Amino acid sequence: MAARFDLVVRDATVATAADTMRCDIGIRGGRIAALGEDLAGGAEEVRAGGALVTPGGVDGHCHFEQELPDGAQLADDFLSGTRSAACGGTTTIIPFACQFKGQSMRAAVADYHRRAEGKPVVDYAFHLIVSDPNPQVLGQELPALIRDGYTSFKIYMTYDILKLADREILDVLALARRERAMTMIHAENSDVITWLTEKLELAGRTAPKYHAASRPQPVEREATHRAIAFSELLDVPILVVHVSSRDATEQIRWAQSRGLRIYAETCPQYLLLTESDLDRPGGEGAKCVCSPPPRTPADQAAIWEGLANGTFTIVSSDHSPFSYAGPKGKFLHGPNPPFAKIPNGVPGVETRLPLLFSEGVGKGRITLQQFVALTATNPARLYGLYPRKGTIAIGADADLVLWDTEREVTIANAMLHHAADYTPYEGLRVRGWPTLVLSRGETVMRNGEPLGAPGRGRYLRCDPPAAAAPRGRPVVDPALF
Ligand code: DUC
Ligand code: ZN
Ligand code: ZN
């Protein structure tokens, strides 16, 4: 008798964002065809023996092969970066196609598709970074790109080469409302950062630890509030990315309590690092320079609380891997650069799930269902990939992570698969690690060994996110925009 399934994962403890159930998973044609007890045979079988199985992670914020203006280079391309993702249980990534000012948005998208060609080992979509919302981009390019499946974009309130003026932010949000797109906002006050950086430099305070002093809480709080106000004015949802502080979390909670559609993302670095990591000896603080900066244990506690009480919608990596020793990484401007010359970002695409599982579920701060929601289901929903991605359900892609929930691991860069030469979490002990990762039913990691062939990852068009559907009446008369 012919096998009914290509693959059966037998006797799994399947966790979704809704519940946990013990069953077999039947896979056919790369998709989940059945969930049930005693399923018929598969051409191949995996004996899970009751092991936990979660949906493949969806990393809604990571940077691969993104061009940077000052000659700095991200260590990961679409091959090493997606291998690293797969080895950490992430089977869908959404990096960025970044427009530089003066460039056509279409050209930027074509460029990033070229960069990815033949490389990804897991499936991928793109967010757009809009840095030049000129009439051509707003009037023609973005509406057409949204219809083509690029339904989310990131905009910046800081970084000279990317930042938008407030009126440009309003233009982009108005477009997002009309065309049903999700806008991700990097919320930091640019002028305050510049002003404080100049003062710190004049005072000779340029070591990595002063990176945090150049962006204290009010910098993030004010910009977060401004972004919320813009969202309210136009009645359009936004997602505040990489929230690092108690103050910004409070702003978001306040907005949500007023019924505003404010979504929020945080990242493991804001749960596990603090500003004291920026003061690691021997210049190693540079390893933890990212923006917004890691803050204090009290901020970490507020963010954990926000994860537990639903303030946060997603946990992403913001994987931005710069090498520590290499010439185009953290020290491209010399051995003791002022903090303002240290490229911002930490690697983390591979450690995102194990860190949140161990520190979150393992320590009782969030439930297993919240873990699945934050790392897979919610990002898939928010960015128009659900239910194909982000859940374990009949018809969904067979993107699955088998866990050894008892395995104790001391994180070391040597065991990771990214191309960066460090992890900020070196020496951290965690409990629980993925042992087998399937992407559309194919094994892309087994016992720490990456297995997917380069280029097997498929490009995903995103639907208009349900969360971006038009709703109530904006404060401003919609006839005006
Ligand atoms: N901050 C960003 O905004 N992007 C990349 C990395 C970082 O630290
Ligand atoms: Zn950012
Ligand atoms: Zn980022």
Side-chain angles (χ1 to χ4, degrees), residues 178-481:
R178 275 196 305 276
E179 305 288 342
R180 285 187 60 181
M182 181 57 65
T183 308
M184 311 157 74
I185 303 194
H186 179 129
E188 290 186 296
N189 183 309
S190 182
D191 281 353
V192 179
I193 293 169
T194 307
W195 188 84
L196 275 173
T197 300
E198 282 171 16
K199 302 290 176 214
L200 287 161
E201 286 179 346
L202 277 172
R205 298 182 199 167
T206 60
K209 68 177 176 184
Y210 294 109
H211 176 68
S214 73
R215 319 158 115 83
Q217 295 245 1
V219 168
E220 188 184 14
R221 183 181 68 220
E222 181 278 329
T224 301
H225 185 86
R226 190 158 27 110
I228 290 167
F230 294 169
S231 156
E232 181 181 6
L233 279 170
L234 304 188
D235 180 42
V236 63
I238 56 168
L239 174 102
V240 184
V241 292
H242 46 51
V243 173
S244 70
S245 64
R246 185 191 56 197
D247 285 12
T249 305
E250 281 174 3
Q251 293 295 311
I252 290 159
R253 187 89 180 138
W254 168 82
Q256 291 169 344
S257 74
R258 288 166 58 108
L260 302 177
R261 289 180 295 167
I262 307 298
Y263 299 97
E265 170 200 82
T266 193
C267 316
Q269 48 272 38
Y270 303 117
L271 296 165
L272 288 149
L273 304 178
T274 64
E275 60 193 13
S276 65
D277 287 297
L278 295 170
D279 198 21
R280 290 183 189 175
E284 293 216 10
K287 290 180 174 176
C288 300
V289 168
C290 59
S291 292
R295 300 196 188 268
T296 67
D299 291 282
Q300 293 180 338
I303 295 173
W304 279 117
E305 193 186 326
L307 290 170
N309 70 21
T311 306
F312 288 95
T313 320
I314 63 175
V315 174
S316 311
S317 68
D318 197 5
H319 181 75
S320 304
F322 293 101
S323 84
Y324 184 67
K328 294 186 171 174
K330 291 284 184 182
F331 296 105
L332 87 153
H333 293 292
N336 282 309
F339 67 82
K341 296 265 187 218
I342 300 173
N344 286 193
V346 297
V349 74
E350 190 166 347
T351 43
R352 179 181 69 118
L353 292 186
L355 286 174
L356 195 70
F357 184 82
S358 180
E359 291 287 320
V361 183
K363 295 192 174 168
R365 290 159 159 152
I366 55 171
T367 65
L368 181 57
Q369 270 57 54
Q370 287 175 318
F371 168 80
V372 172
L374 289 161
T375 57
T377 315
N378 291 353
R381 274 188 202 278
L382 203 61
Y383 298 128
L385 293 170
Y386 185 86
R388 179 170 172 194
K389 301 294 185 187
T391 192
I392 298 177
I394 292 168
D397 282 354
D399 294 352
L400 303 171
V401 185
L402 264 83
W403 293 77
D404 178 347
T405 53
E406 296 305 313
R407 188 170 159 214
E408 299 221 357
V409 174
T410 303
I411 295 178
N413 197 54
M415 61 183 274
L416 301 177
H417 300 81
H418 59 203
D421 55 359
Y422 81 97
T423 166
Y425 310 110
E426 188 80 28
L428 189 80
R429 282 181 75 74
V430 295
R431 183 192 285 254
W433 203 269
T435 54
L436 182 76
V437 179
L438 306 179
S439 162
R440 285 180 277 102
E442 275 181 48
T443 303
V444 290
M445 186 282 271
R446 182 184 293 117
N447 296 327
E449 192 191 343
L451 293 170
R456 69 161 296 285
R458 289 187 189 153
Y459 168 68
L460 304 163
R461 284 170 62 118
C462 298
D463 294 328
R471 202 190 49 167
R473 283 188 62 76
V475 174
V476 175
D477 179 355
L480 295 173
F481 63 96

